[in-house]
Amino acid sequence: MLKVQGLHVYYDAIRALKGLSFSVAQGEIVTLLGANGAGKTTTLKTISGLLRPRGGSITLAGQALEGVEPHEIVRLGVAHVPEGRKIFSRLTVLENLKIGAYTRAAGSVGEDLEIVFSLFSRLKERRRQIAGTLSGGEQQMLAIGRALMARPKLLLLDEPSMGLAPIIVEQIFATIQAINREGVTILLVEQNAAIALAISQRGYVLETGTVILEGEASALTHNDLVRQAYLGG
Amino acid sequence: MELAFSIFFQVLVDGIVLGFMYALIALGYTMVYGVLEFINFAHSEIFVIGAFVGAEMLLMFEATGALAVLHPALVLLLVLLTGMALSGLAAMGLERIAYRPLRGAPRLVPLISAIGASFFLQDFIRLIESLWRNAFYLTYPTLPVLEKSLKLGAAVEVPLKSILVIATALVMLLGLYLFVNRTKVGIAIRAVAQDPDTASLMGIHVNRIIALTFFVGGAMGGVAGVLFGLQYSLISPYSGFVPGLKAFTAAVLGGIGNIPGAVLGGMVLGLMEAFAASYLSLITNGAFGAEYKDVFAFAVLILILIFRPKGLLGEKVREEGA
Ligand SMILES: Nc1ncnc2c1ncn2[C@@H]1O[C@H](COP(=O)(O)OP(=O)(O)OP(=O)(O)O)[C@@H](O)[C@H]1O
Ligand SMILES: [Mg+2]
């Protein structure tokens, strides 16, 4: 459903993506792996419209996304959970979720809220709390819940495991799988290659803005390069 | 004793009226700062536009005889609503023409544009009024109802004008509170203020929300302009300078970017000013007269800012690294 071809992205003179190509099929979980600075965040930001590519193409179900404004891309069915969660820390949990449903008709918000609360019951208990006072794990749940409120077809997740205890990471990844089973396609960016590959069908390894390795998740797990660089031998 | 109390009460009312006036204007500075981290120095002229729209409408009602026929409440409502709408639109136009093209330029650039817009609007209003009326100082027609007072007991009375300012300001503030806290668009304004990029990922059209913020802040300033004209009668294209500067100060005092802070800051400044004007000479045994009211008010302000540099209710406006 998502096809990225020959993508070139710059920050002024700095080249961040150099002809990056990959694709995500309907219903898949696909992981992008890569060292710090490889261009993973840049890739997600370009898909969701925050950055403009200088070359290449991005298509979602056949429709071109390059040059489309971020607020329009959400309406096309792409939700982005940014690196570092970026919840609105001075709004309440409920307000964060409501703002996630900004593009939705008022009538369906209640139902979507219940879905998010059933995935993350902690958010329901804390719905009147100021979001900035949540723990790191709860903030990540809120960031994912907020993105789900847009009822996306494609969910972009940028390092959901960052800074979280292993037990919370497991919970969050189990939830990501549950979301995927409900029919949401997922493009996942991770440093934690082991857990990411464990829930993915396929993966790509990025280095300095281009794909150096791609394949089935199980094959990547056994690949020597991936083992050395991302799985600790 | 009776006399002392009646004076005290009058000063209190004057201070509250002034405080609400500053608060309404301060909201425009603080809301725009909230979404753009930028001081709209031409906001004082948006306030003046409200004052002139009010004056022109009342003069027109007077000239056509409508003022004598229409119910005064209707007249006031019409004038306030029109002043509000036109100031709001002017603020939106200002953003579109003078600020949006400079988005992303170094911080000083839009600031200079704002100062330029401020001068431009002053002289533009002066030009229009000079062509139209051959004068650019206007006097508000008197509305007989507003000259009355409400007697509270034997010694104290409150002018209806003051009650009008207080009541209108309360309605506006309540409306703004509900709008910003209870509506989807209001929440979007706060989201954009915190992190515009992430707000756009929620499907929020950030530029539209910024334009709306200018409209709402401008509308508050427009209402303040009409109330200013009704209260103090004489207006000129330059009438915005002092109230604008004080309202800006009030916004900083409350914590720039913070909406309740603007109201609190306006009230603190208005009350300090009114009390200093009446009591400074008494307290200092005549050494400092009423003309030192601003010195006193600003001295207190500096003291507050030394101990609370982010203002009374201040907090970090935008998230780190957002
Ligand atoms: N705002 C920016 N301005 C200039 N250069 C940037 C900016 N953001 C990223 N870069 C550069 O672009 C390249 C790719 O960065 P990106 O953030 O996409 O990497 P990443 O793979 O997400 O890394 P990490 O794992 O550390 O999050 C890096 O070399 C980085 O220095
Ligand atoms: Mg990154």
Side-chain angles (χ1 to χ4, degrees):
Chain A
M1 79 185 304
L2 179 78
K3 205 170 174 70
V4 172
Q5 271 176 320
L7 205 59
H8 289 270
V9 178
Y10 290 72
Y11 293 97
D12 295 319
I14 300 167
R15 242 174 114 179
L17 298 186
K18 305 167 187 170
L20 180 75
S21 301
F22 68 94
S23 65
V24 183
Q26 172 88 39
E28 269 189 318
I29 302 183
V30 170
T31 296
L32 302 182
L33 296 173
N36 294 118
K40 306 179 298 291
T41 298
T42 304
T43 306
L44 295 194
K45 282 185 166 180
T46 311
I47 295 169
S48 60
L50 288 175
L51 296 172
R52 293 275 169 108
R54 252 191 231 175
S57 69
I58 306 171
T59 52
L60 180 76
Q63 180 171 6
L65 293 189
E66 328 83 73
V68 181
E69 296 279 339
H71 62 90
E72 295 292 346
I73 289 179
V74 184
R75 285 178 172 76
L76 296 175
V78 180
H80 181 168
V81 180
E83 186 173 61
R85 331 191 215 288
K86 300 287 172 69
I87 54 157
F88 298 109
S89 61
R90 291 203 307 272
L91 305 189
T92 65
V93 169
L94 195 59
E95 285 171 336
N96 268 277
L97 293 174
K98 282 186 176 166
I99 214 71
Y102 192 77
T103 54
R104 314 261 324 144
S108 58
V109 173
E111 192 184 315
D112 294 354
L113 261 182
E114 284 314 313
I115 294 173
V116 169
F117 285 152
S118 69
L119 287 171
F120 302 110
S121 57
R122 294 234 224 158
L123 296 182
K124 185 167 190 174
E125 295 158 24
R126 290 166 169 71
R127 64 189 180 280
R128 311 243 166 257
Q129 199 168 318
I130 298 295
T133 64
L134 295 176
S135 74
E138 290 159 357
Q139 292 193 14
Q140 188 63 60
M141 294 173 194
L142 179 57
I144 297 173
R146 182 180 66 177
L148 289 179
M149 291 297 290
R151 284 272 184 110
K153 298 188 202 104
L154 173 65
L155 186 62
L156 312 177
L157 293 163
D158 199 341
E159 299 202 35
S161 74
M162 192 199 263
L164 303 181
I167 173 90
I168 305 287
V169 173
E170 296 221 356
Q171 281 174 22
I172 286 185
F173 275 73
T175 311
I176 292 171
Q177 274 188 302
I179 293 165
N180 176 248
R181 276 196 298 271
E182 294 300 316
V184 180
T185 306
I186 290 174
L187 177 58
L188 175 65
V189 158
E190 258 304 334
Q191 299 272 1
N192 187 337
I195 192 160
L197 290 175
I199 68 162
S200 301
Q201 278 88 57
R202 293 186 305 116
Y204 294 83
V205 179
L206 271 60
E207 201 175 282
T208 56
T210 166
V211 172
I212 54 159
L213 195 64
E214 62 177 281
E216 299 289 317
S218 51
L220 288 178
T221 313
H222 297 107
N223 181 284
D224 283 344
L225 185 128
V226 174
R227 291 171 74 94
Q228 273 173 15
Y230 306 105
L231 298 173
Chain B
M1 198 57 230
E2 185 81 327
L3 182 68
F5 177 74
S6 106
I7 290 179
F8 173 84
F9 189 79
Q10 249 158 44
V11 173
L12 184 66
V13 171
D14 286 349
I16 291 173
V17 165
L18 206 55
F20 273 131
M21 207 86 89
Y22 292 156
L24 285 177
I25 308 171
L27 286 169
Y29 288 105
T30 232
M31 289 183 72
V32 163
Y33 188 87
V35 291
L36 286 183
E37 294 194 327
F38 147 81
I39 304 296
N40 176 15
F41 274 114
H43 185 60
S44 46
E45 280 57 55
I46 298 298
F47 157 83
V48 170
I49 288 173
F52 271 88
V53 168
E56 284 297 344
M57 268 185 87
L58 285 172
L59 288 168
M60 188 188 80
F61 282 157
E62 192 180 44
T64 55
L67 203 56
V69 190
L70 293 176
H71 192 286
L74 180 66
V75 170
L76 286 173
L77 190 66
L78 278 175
V79 171
L80 284 166
L81 285 178
T82 314
M84 202 172 138
L86 292 184
S87 280
L89 289 176
M92 253 171 88
L94 183 68
E95 190 270 331
R96 191 73 192 80
I97 295 167
Y99 306 147
R100 195 181 300 179
L102 301 174
R103 203 90 56 74
R107 294 171 81 94
L108 275 179
V109 176
L111 210 61
I112 291 166
S113 180
I115 293 168
S118 166
F119 284 125
F120 170 81
L121 286 172
Q122 284 173 7
D123 289 326
F124 185 71
I125 297 167
R126 176 174 171 162
L127 176 72
I128 301 274
E129 289 296 334
S130 300
L131 290 174
W132 165 242
R133 293 200 180 268
N134 222 354
F136 56 87
Y137 279 81
L138 296 189
T139 309
Y140 264 60
T142 42
L143 290 171
V145 205
L146 291 184
E147 301 308 310
K148 295 183 186 144
S149 289
L150 192 71
K151 283 211 187 311
L152 300 171
V156 283
E157 49 181 61
V158 190
L160 280 189
K161 270 183 187 172
S162 306
I163 293 179
L164 175 74
V165 174
I166 294 170
T168 310
L170 285 176
V171 169
M172 297 299 295
L173 293 177
L174 180 69
L176 183 71
Y177 175 84
L178 293 176
F179 172 69
V180 170
N181 289 295
R182 298 286 157 80
T183 68
K184 184 164 136 177
V185 177
I187 302 174
I189 289 180
R190 287 186 291 144
V192 169
Q194 256 188 64
D195 183 346
D197 273 356
T198 305
S200 74
L201 293 180
M202 305 295 118
I204 295 170
H205 192 327
V206 173
N207 274 339
R208 218 176 268 164
I209 291 294
I210 289 172
L212 179 72
T213 305
F214 270 84
F215 180 84
V216 173
M220 294 282 160
V223 168
V226 175
L227 294 174
F228 179 89
L230 289 168
Q231 178 81 3
Y232 305 112
S233 199
L234 187 69
I235 59 165
S236 89
Y238 311 106
S239 292
F241 182 70
V242 173
L245 196 63
K246 292 203 174 144
F248 168 59
T249 310
V252 174
L253 178 62
I256 189 89
N258 182 301
I259 292 177
V263 178
L264 180 66
M267 205 41 82
V268 168
L269 194 62
L271 284 170
M272 278 198 313
E273 209 182 304
F275 277 97
S278 303
Y279 288 100
L280 212 50
S281 149
L282 200 70
I283 295 167
T284 61
N285 229 337
F288 294 101
E291 65 275 18
Y292 282 91
K293 65 178 167 57
D294 288 349
V295 177
F296 173 78
F298 280 80
V300 174
L301 198 124
I302 290 168
L303 269 181
I304 293 177
L305 289 179
I306 286 173
F307 290 105
R308 288 198 60 99
K310 283 175 184 159
L312 293 169
L313 304 182
E315 51 194 330
K316 215 162 48 197
V317 167
R318 196 158 290 179
E319 304 305 308
E320 228 42 79

